[in-house]
Amino acid sequence: MNDEKVGGKLDAADKKKLEDACQEVISWLDGNQEAEKEEFEAKQKHLEEISNPIMMKMYGGAGAPPMPGAGGGAPGGFPGTGNSEPTIEEVD
Protein backbone atom coordinates (compact mmCIF):
# COMPACT_ATOMS: atom_id res chain seq x y z
CA MET A 1 0.00 0.00 0.00
CA ASN A 2 3.02 2.23 0.34
CA ASP A 3 3.75 1.75 -3.36
CA GLU A 4 2.20 4.68 -5.22
CA LYS A 5 0.98 2.36 -8.00
CA VAL A 6 -1.26 0.61 -5.46
CA GLY A 7 -1.74 3.08 -2.64
CA GLY A 8 -2.39 5.89 -5.09
CA LYS A 9 -5.44 4.04 -6.43
CA LEU A 10 -7.09 3.82 -3.01
CA ASP A 11 -9.09 6.60 -1.49
CA ALA A 12 -7.88 7.73 1.93
CA ALA A 13 -10.71 6.06 3.87
CA ASP A 14 -10.17 2.66 2.21
CA LYS A 15 -6.41 2.87 2.66
CA LYS A 16 -6.81 3.67 6.37
CA LYS A 17 -9.34 0.83 6.78
CA LEU A 18 -6.91 -1.65 5.19
CA GLU A 19 -3.93 -0.41 7.18
CA ASP A 20 -5.89 -0.61 10.44
CA ALA A 21 -7.17 -4.13 9.65
CA CYS A 22 -3.67 -5.34 8.73
CA GLN A 23 -2.16 -3.83 11.86
CA GLU A 24 -4.90 -5.41 13.99
CA VAL A 25 -4.20 -8.87 12.54
CA ILE A 26 -0.42 -8.46 12.81
CA SER A 27 -0.77 -7.47 16.47
CA TRP A 28 -3.05 -10.45 17.09
CA LEU A 29 -0.58 -12.80 15.36
CA ASP A 30 2.30 -11.49 17.47
CA GLY A 31 0.40 -12.26 20.66
CA ASN A 32 -1.28 -15.52 19.62
CA GLN A 33 1.32 -17.70 17.95
CA GLU A 34 0.03 -20.73 19.84
CA ALA A 35 -3.57 -20.22 18.69
CA GLU A 36 -5.62 -23.01 17.16
CA LYS A 37 -5.92 -23.41 13.39
CA GLU A 38 -9.56 -22.29 13.50
CA GLU A 39 -8.55 -19.01 15.17
CA PHE A 40 -6.01 -18.27 12.44
CA GLU A 41 -8.59 -19.09 9.76
CA ALA A 42 -11.13 -16.79 11.44
CA LYS A 43 -8.62 -13.91 11.40
CA GLN A 44 -7.84 -14.64 7.75
CA LYS A 45 -11.53 -14.61 6.86
CA HIS A 46 -12.07 -11.36 8.77
CA LEU A 47 -9.19 -9.68 6.89
CA GLU A 48 -10.49 -10.97 3.55
CA GLU A 49 -13.97 -9.61 4.33
CA ILE A 50 -12.45 -6.18 4.76
CA SER A 51 -9.88 -6.26 1.97
CA ASN A 52 -11.68 -8.05 -0.89
CA PRO A 53 -14.36 -5.38 -1.49
CA ILE A 54 -11.72 -2.65 -1.44
CA MET A 55 -9.47 -4.55 -3.85
CA MET A 56 -12.39 -5.28 -6.17
CA LYS A 57 -13.27 -1.59 -6.20
CA MET A 58 -9.64 -0.67 -6.84
CA TYR A 59 -9.36 -3.06 -9.78
CA GLY A 60 -12.71 -2.12 -11.27
CA GLY A 61 -14.91 -4.99 -10.13
CA ALA A 62 -16.23 -7.51 -12.64
CA GLY A 63 -13.74 -6.98 -15.48
CA ALA A 64 -10.69 -7.36 -13.28
CA PRO A 65 -8.49 -10.43 -13.19
CA PRO A 66 -9.04 -12.75 -10.22
CA MET A 67 -7.57 -11.41 -7.01
CA PRO A 68 -5.24 -13.51 -4.89
CA GLY A 69 -7.22 -14.33 -1.80
CA ALA A 70 -10.61 -13.90 -3.42
CA GLY A 71 -12.37 -16.93 -2.10
CA GLY A 72 -9.22 -18.82 -1.29
CA GLY A 73 -6.70 -16.90 0.78
CA ALA A 74 -3.15 -16.52 -0.38
CA PRO A 75 -1.96 -18.01 -3.67
CA GLY A 76 -1.53 -21.69 -2.94
CA GLY A 77 -3.39 -21.28 0.35
CA PHE A 78 -2.12 -20.19 3.72
CA PRO A 79 0.24 -22.62 5.42
CA GLY A 80 -1.61 -25.21 7.43
CA THR A 81 -5.07 -24.37 6.08
CA GLY A 82 -5.33 -27.45 3.89
CA ASN A 83 -5.09 -26.26 0.32
CA SER A 84 -8.28 -27.39 -1.41
CA GLU A 85 -6.75 -27.56 -4.88
CA PRO A 86 -6.76 -30.95 -6.60
CA THR A 87 -3.71 -33.14 -6.31
CA ILE A 88 -2.15 -35.47 -8.82
CA GLU A 89 -2.12 -39.08 -7.70
CA GLU A 90 0.45 -41.59 -8.84
CA VAL A 91 -0.60 -43.86 -11.66
CA ASP A 92 0.73 -47.40 -11.83
Side-chain angles (χ1 to χ4, degrees):
M1 287 190 305
N2 293 330
D3 183 348
E4 195 56 37
K5 292 178 183 177
V6 175
K9 293 180 181 182
L10 297 171
D11 65 33
D14 284 343
K15 187 173 182 180
K16 173 110 174 82
K17 188 174 182 179
L18 278 174
E19 288 173 343
D20 290 348
C22 289
Q23 188 57 49
E24 174 189 333
V25 171
I26 289 169
S27 295
W28 183 87
L29 287 169
D30 287 342
N32 294 283
Q33 294 189 13
E34 298 296 321
E36 296 293 323
K37 174 184 172 184
E38 292 78 17
E39 293 174 276
F40 286 107
E41 289 172 345
K43 286 294 179 182
Q44 174 188 348
K45 184 177 179 183
H46 173 72
L47 188 57
E48 288 175 350
E49 288 171 353
I50 293 170
S51 63
N52 285 346
I54 294 170
M55 293 295 115
M56 288 178 66
K57 182 169 53 169
M58 183 175 89
Y59 286 105
M67 291 293 304
F78 281 97
T81 60
N83 191 354
S84 63
E85 294 185 19
T87 59
I88 297 174
E89 296 180 24
E90 280 189 327
V91 177
D92 290 324

